């Protein structure tokens, strides 16, 4: 029973920071590829950041330089540090997990709301 639970979302002013967390259970976290997606109203869900089991990271251009994805395998935790937040970052952020040996099977958290507004 794989479970991903996001936390850390909230309301923040433009230029502010938030750190999102994703707690994983019921699966082999250490060998998984982990990612953060987001979805704003009326828009498709997009990949924001991804980190492999080996620690390789990639980001969508719009957040590159502002967001940092990281993982703690000992705690089965995934993080997204978001700095210099902009109103266009407003979305529901989702934790995602998959494995290279079965890339068609993905697991999702329930999402956490991030609102950037003054």
């Amino acid at each position: 029973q794989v479970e991903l639970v996001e936390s850390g979302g909230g309301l923040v002013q433009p230029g502010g920071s938030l750190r999102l967390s994703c707690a994983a259970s019921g699966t082999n976290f250490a060998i998984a590829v982990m990612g953060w997606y987001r979805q704003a109203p009326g828009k498709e869900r997009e990949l924001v950041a991804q980190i492999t089991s080996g620690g390789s990271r990639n980001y969508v251009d719009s957040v590159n330089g502002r967001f940092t994805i990281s993982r703690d395998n000992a705690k089965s935790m995934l993080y997204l540090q978001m700095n210099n937040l902009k109103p266009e970052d407003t979305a529901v952020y989702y934790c995602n997990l998959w494995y290279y040996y079965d890339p068609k099977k993905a697991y999702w958290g329930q999402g956490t709301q991030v609102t950037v507004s003054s």
Side-chain angles (χ1 to χ4, degrees):
Q1 297 171 331
V2 178
E3 186 175 33
L4 303 174
V5 181
E6 301 96 334
S7 61
L11 175 64
V12 65
Q13 293 183 330
S17 298
L18 286 172
R19 190 172 86 150
L20 305 183
S21 298
C22 172
S25 62
T27 190
N28 193 341
F29 181 85
I31 64 171
V33 181
M34 302 297 299
W36 288 100
Y37 286 72
R38 67 186 181 188
Q39 187 167 26
K43 296 185 178 180
E44 294 185 347
R45 187 174 298 188
E46 69 169 345
L47 176 63
V48 177
Q50 179 179 275
I51 184 168
T52 69
S53 60
S56 297
R57 299 169 173 85
N58 56 61
Y59 303 90
V60 67
D61 286 344
S62 61
V63 310
N64 195 30
R66 299 187 296 120
F67 291 10
T68 302
I69 189 171
S70 62
R71 65 193 297 162
D72 185 339
N73 288 341
K75 298 180 179 180
S76 296
M77 293 288 292
L78 177 74
Y79 305 99
L80 184 68
Q81 179 66 47
M82 304 185 294
N83 297 326
N84 192 24
L85 283 160
K86 303 176 180 180
E88 50 263 44
D89 295 319
T90 296
V92 177
Y93 284 71
Y94 297 90
C95 179
N96 169 264
L97 179 154
W98 59 279
Y99 299 97
Y100 283 116
Y101 60 79
D102 190 14
K104 295 183 179 180
K105 178 66 174 179
Y107 299 92
W108 297 90
Q110 83 291 340
T112 185
Q113 177 71 48
V114 172
T115 302
V116 184
S117 177
S118 59

